[in-house]
């Protein structure tokens, strides 16, 4: 089974952790996996409120009010992380013939399976990473999960951010993921009830074991 690490968290109450602390933890674990000293793991956590900008961030999409942004080495554009958002960082050696695009698609399918468990319909959108709720009577298509990865020396890092009961007003200061013609949503907003990270985490963990079962055979 894939090891799932609730970084600094308990099983009953997931508490936010500092982004910089977790980024250091990712880099250290990544180096160990590259060296063959660790089989890899998926980190599950929440962050304290932070904006992060990937390699494709357009300066025009950044906050205009002076809010600080952490520039990181993942793909994608700018996004927000914070309480009420389930973060998953797969620090895994990719099997042969599995490439970064394949990993993105696999993560999308994993998140979509989680959303199905909560009766929230989702779709991938051609040309746009992440997981989306399709346009319906509630509004136009809207992103429920952002994905931004980096794969170096055959090992992945960074990952996904699934909105559970996050304060979506944090996205108002930026152009999330550089996309201006679509909205942002959460499981709570779609279901009109509070869906916490603690409720979603075990469902996501179960899907990780299904969608990443073949990764454990890499040696």
């Amino acid at each position: 089974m894939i090891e799932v690490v609730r970084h600094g968290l308990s099983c009953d109450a997931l508490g936010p952790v500092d982004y910089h602390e977790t980024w250091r933890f990712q880099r250290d674990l990544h180096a160990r996996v590259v060296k063959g000293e660790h089989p890899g793991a998926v980190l599950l956590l929440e962050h304290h409120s932070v904006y992060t900008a990937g390699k494709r961030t357009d300066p025009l999409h950044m906050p205009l009010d002076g809010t600080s942004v952490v520039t990181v080495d993942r793909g994608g554009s700018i996004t927000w992380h914070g309480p009420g958002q389930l973060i998953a960082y797969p620090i895994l050696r990719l099997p042969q013939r599995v490439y970064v695009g394949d990993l993105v698609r696999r993560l999308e399918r994993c998140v979509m399976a989680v959303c199905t468990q909560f009766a929230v319909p989702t779709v991938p959108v051609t040309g746009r990473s992440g997981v989306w709720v399709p346009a319906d009577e509630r509004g136009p298509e809207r992103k429920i999960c952002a994905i931004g990865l980096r794969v170096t020396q055959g090992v992945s890092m960074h990952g996904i951010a699934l909105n559970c009961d996050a304060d979506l007003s944090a996205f108002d200061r930026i152009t999330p993921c550089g996309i201006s013609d679509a909205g942002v949503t959460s499981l709570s907003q779609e279901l009109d009830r509070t869906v916490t990270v603690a409720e979603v985490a075990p469902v996501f963990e179960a899907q990780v074991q299904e969608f990443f079962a073949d990764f454990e055979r890499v040696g």
Side-chain angles (χ1 to χ4, degrees):
M1 294 179 66
I2 293 292
E3 181 182 7
V4 177
V5 178
R6 300 193 179 202
H7 181 51
L9 313 176
S10 73
C11 292
D12 298 324
L14 308 186
V17 293
D18 177 72
Y19 184 85
H20 289 90
E21 172 193 338
T22 309
W23 194 12
R24 287 191 296 269
F25 188 91
Q26 281 194 75
R27 294 196 300 266
D28 290 346
L29 180 56
H30 181 277
R32 293 177 62 198
V33 176
V34 167
K35 293 176 183 178
E37 298 173 353
H38 194 284
V42 176
L43 311 182
L44 290 189
L45 53 117
E46 287 180 280
H47 281 307
H48 292 296
S49 183
V50 62
Y51 292 96
T52 69
K55 295 179 179 180
R56 298 182 181 178
T57 300
D58 186 322
L60 295 177
H61 298 156
M62 304 275 274
L64 300 178
D65 59 1
T67 299
S68 62
V69 176
V70 180
T71 300
V72 293
D73 56 355
R74 61 166 170 78
S77 184
I78 188 168
T79 193
W80 171 83
H81 298 316
Q85 189 181 71
L86 177 64
I87 304 295
Y89 294 136
I91 317 297
L92 301 171
R93 181 174 295 282
L94 274 62
Q96 290 185 351
R97 294 180 295 280
V98 173
Y99 305 102
V100 63
D102 303 318
L103 180 57
V104 169
R105 302 288 89 77
R106 191 180 299 222
L107 284 167
E108 287 174 347
R109 294 195 302 271
C110 183
V111 171
M112 291 171 66
V114 172
C115 292
T116 296
Q117 292 292 311
F118 287 92
V120 174
T122 54
V123 294
V125 174
T126 302
R128 292 178 170 178
S129 67
V131 174
W132 299 76
V133 175
D136 55 18
E137 68 279 359
R138 298 170 67 100
E141 66 182 18
R142 46 219 182 260
K143 179 176 278 192
I144 197 168
C145 178
I147 297 179
L149 295 172
R150 182 187 184 202
V151 175
T152 181
Q153 296 180 277
V155 178
S156 62
M157 61 187 301
H158 300 293
I160 69 104
L162 173 60
N163 297 324
C164 299
D165 61 337
D167 179 1
L168 300 180
S169 68
F171 291 102
D172 294 342
R173 293 181 176 179
I174 61 173
T175 303
C177 302
I179 298 172
S180 59
D181 60 347
V184 179
T185 191
S186 66
L187 290 171
S188 295
Q189 183 163 293
E190 294 301 318
L191 295 172
D192 295 318
R193 72 172 180 88
T194 299
V195 182
T196 65
V197 170
E199 183 179 354
V200 177
V203 179
F204 183 85
E205 184 171 345
Q207 295 301 324
V208 164
Q209 298 302 343
E210 178 175 344
F211 280 89
F212 289 86
D214 58 330
F215 277 57
E216 66 183 347
R217 295 195 292 270
V218 179

